[in-house]
Amino acid sequence: MTFQISVADTEFRFPCEANESVLDAAQRAGLEIPFSCRKGVCGTCKGRIVSGEARAFAGDALGAADRAEGNVLFCNARPRSDLVIAPRSISKANPFARKTTPARVFRLQRLAPDVMLVHLRFPAGIRVKFKAGQHLNLILENGERRDFSMANPPRESDGAQLHIRHVPGGAFTSPVFNGLKRGDILTAEIPFGDFSLRDSDKPILFVAGSTGFAPIASIIEDMTIRGIERDMTLYWGARQRSGLYSDLPGKWAQNPRFKYVPVLSDTPEAGFRHNLVHRAVLEDHHSLAGFQAYVCGVPVMTQAARDEFVAAGLPENEFFADAFVTRAEVAASGP
Ligand code: FES
């Protein structure tokens, strides 16, 4: 059975089968709703059902308060009637923008005990357009995919620099640390995602957990190249000092409008804030009413940041997040 989905306050309409997700149907129709894990874990695809009835395929990360407000995760919602929906954002996909290409391992560098820089180069003559903050898919031989954000700015369009954190036992990340070598050829599809800088004069709060630093580095480098001047503060958090593995923040600090707050959550150390990274933001600001926030890290952090920042006055439409979800977390979320 086919239902019609309309997007509130837009001209967008698309058909959706009773057994497919609203997210899949939107993509089939050439429309892009933000997503990351596609498994009901990260919350990126959250939006509201304005009218009609939808049902979840499986358990997901939504809480009771969200459900009471009519919110759903579009990757996990299938229609039971025609629907009017209100996603956080929706846009027409550009079918020519995304490319699948071989990518050669050009450089491997251990940035921290559990973080590897994997610098990929595309074949000669191939340039890939992406926005600072977006990610790519690496396609494995068995067809599975893994998402990684580019840490390089879009101007460096002949390759992609990825910060890959070792997930113990991870089917992809373990070989990266133990077997991948210079010259190996991978397959990448690029770009994905809508985590990118929005036009505004508001001061920016960048909040990165561990390798959530990568897309934020791409955005800040891109702002520098393009001469975009805004007040910005980077809160970068890790459990231990080795997790803050880049000296780029020191370079960016030459800009008087850039401020850096390194945060450690395990052991206190002189020169580092001791807290959860998003809580360090709240320590410094009584109200977030005048800010934009860009937050990248594990879902539990991005979700807590969203809830607590909005409670501190941040307008919900000024909060942008990219949640990193490991395969283990997806598997733990159920079928
Ligand atoms: Fe739907 Fe992650 S994409 S919850």
Side-chain angles (χ1 to χ4, degrees):
M1 186 163 187
T2 307
F3 297 106
Q4 288 303 317
I5 314 293
S6 307
V7 182
D9 303 324
T10 75
E11 295 172 348
F12 297 140
R13 283 172 64 82
F14 56 91
C16 183
E17 302 300 323
N19 60 354
E20 75 177 332
S21 75
V22 174
L23 176 68
D24 284 343
Q27 288 189 324
R28 206 159 35 76
L31 297 171
E32 293 209 331
I33 292 174
F35 73 95
S36 182
C37 70
R38 309 188 80 110
K39 282 282 188 179
V41 177
C42 70
T44 306
C45 64
K46 188 170 88 172
R48 202 158 51 83
I49 302 286
V50 178
S51 68
E53 194 190 340
R55 182 167 286 184
F57 284 98
D60 60 37
L62 271 192
D66 269 317
R67 285 183 210 290
E69 288 172 12
N71 289 325
V72 295
L73 298 173
F74 288 120
C75 70
N76 192 32
R78 56 184 155 174
R80 304 260 294 166
S81 70
D82 291 345
L83 300 177
V84 179
I85 64 170
R88 281 188 183 133
S89 72
I90 188 164
S91 58
K92 270 201 175 134
N94 176 352
F96 302 108
R98 197 169 287 157
K99 278 187 180 149
T100 300
T101 174
R104 187 170 49 85
V105 177
F106 172 69
R107 183 163 63 107
L108 292 166
Q109 181 186 344
R110 188 78 74 124
L111 300 174
D114 62 347
V115 178
M116 186 78 84
L117 166 70
V118 178
H119 185 168
L120 302 175
R121 281 270 178 89
F122 305 128
I126 298 244
R127 291 279 188 276
V128 176
K129 278 193 180 166
F130 64 93
K131 285 193 278 187
Q134 286 191 297
H135 60 270
L136 56 65
N137 272 189
L138 290 182
I139 305 171
L140 312 187
E141 280 177 1
N142 64 3
E144 281 191 32
R145 290 166 175 261
R146 297 289 188 274
D147 291 329
F148 297 101
S149 297
M150 279 71 77
N152 50 307
R155 179 177 286 186
E156 297 169 15
S157 58
D158 61 343
Q161 294 181 32
L162 314 176
H163 297 178
I164 298 184
R165 190 170 63 82
H166 186 212
V167 178
F172 178 72
T173 62
S174 291
V176 165
F177 278 73
N178 299 320
L180 195 68
K181 55 189 187 315
R182 188 179 150 93
D184 284 353
I185 304 289
L186 307 176
T187 302
E189 188 175 4
I190 177 172
F192 289 87
D194 74 339
F195 186 70
S196 58
L197 188 72
R198 306 313 204 264
D199 283 343
S200 171
D201 291 331
K202 291 185 174 181
I204 300 172
L205 298 166
F206 289 116
V207 184
S210 181
T211 51
F213 177 76
I216 288 174
S218 176
I219 291 173
I220 297 175
E221 285 283 285
D222 185 51
M223 290 174 72
T224 306
I225 289 168
R226 293 164 59 204
I228 298 174
E229 294 192 2
R230 288 172 63 177
D231 291 326
M232 51 186 157
T233 306
L234 167 63
Y235 292 82
W236 187 14
R239 295 176 64 176
Q240 289 147 2
R241 187 183 194 149
S242 61
L244 306 179
Y245 52 77
S246 171
D247 52 13
L248 278 173
K251 181 188 104 178
W252 298 328
Q254 291 168 10
N255 173 357
R257 300 186 72 175
F258 175 86
K259 196 172 152 215
Y260 175 43
V261 182
V263 185
L264 299 180
S265 59
D266 266 6
T267 316
E269 275 197 53
F272 296 83
R273 192 73 62 81
H274 183 230
N275 208 334
L276 297 174
V277 64
H278 75 284
R279 289 273 167 77
V281 177
L282 296 164
E283 278 178 345
D284 291 347
H285 302 88
H286 291 305
S287 168
L288 299 182
F291 289 87
Q292 263 190 347
Y294 295 83
V295 179
C296 190
V298 293
V300 66
M301 186 276 271
T302 60
Q303 197 58 48
R306 179 186 297 276
D307 294 346
E308 295 176 36
F309 287 7
V310 170
L314 185 80
E316 197 159 2
N317 61 358
E318 298 288 21
F319 182 94
F320 308 100
D322 190 7
F324 286 177
V325 182
T326 66
R327 255 334 90 167
E329 286 166 318
V330 168
S333 73

